[in-house]
Amino acid sequence: MSTTEIDTIELGEKIVKVLKTIFDPEIPVDIYELGLIYDVFVNEDQEVKILMTLTTPNCPVAETLPLEVEDKVKSIKLVKDAEVEITFDPPWTQDLMSEEAKLELGML
């Protein structure tokens, strides 16, 4: 495994740690465990693209939450740039939540 591969994997892990510090204001669970993050792409140039969704298209934080995600990821020392893309395909459902999130919300 090359140094670049190790670096992007390590950077991906740091990004996930940061994502777990961002909470949906209506649900007391972080956006990663909630299943709002569909994918995190890190290229060799340490540019990040995050594919995420919201619980509903009319989510009250539709304007601010993606910006918060982008800003916090950009604050990671090794990240050169970050972009968040919102998608509703597939739409978010409770099935996307982690077991930890379901336990936290009393759904298990």
Side-chain angles (χ1 to χ4, degrees):
M1 197 179 302
S2 73
T3 306
T4 304
E5 286 179 56
I6 294 168
D7 289 347
T8 55
I9 290 168
E10 188 178 309
L11 183 53
E13 290 170 359
K14 288 181 181 190
I15 292 166
V16 168
K17 280 184 184 177
V18 166
L19 293 173
K20 287 184 174 192
T21 69
I22 303 169
F23 286 78
D24 184 298
E26 297 179 322
I27 306 169
V29 175
D30 70 77
I31 62 171
Y32 190 83
E33 298 297 337
L34 202 51
L36 298 182
I37 304 299
Y38 286 168
D39 219 334
V40 176
F41 305 96
V42 180
N43 68 19
E44 305 80 35
D45 297 325
Q46 296 164 315
E47 298 166 332
V48 179
K49 182 171 183 181
I50 297 171
L51 183 62
M52 70 175 286
T53 193
L54 302 168
T55 52
T56 68
N58 301 325
C59 181
V61 293
E63 296 294 319
T64 58
L65 191 59
L67 291 174
E68 181 182 355
V69 170
E70 211 170 88
D71 289 344
K72 286 197 174 178
V73 170
K74 283 180 181 177
S75 75
I76 298 170
K77 188 177 179 182
L78 297 173
V79 171
K80 291 193 176 135
D81 196 21
E83 175 189 347
V84 172
E85 181 181 331
I86 298 291
T87 185
F88 292 101
D89 185 26
W92 180 85
T93 66
Q94 291 180 0
D95 294 337
L96 296 172
M97 294 169 56
S98 70
E99 295 292 314
E100 181 181 317
K102 290 177 182 176
L103 185 63
E104 179 76 24
L105 297 173
M107 298 172 70
L108 287 180

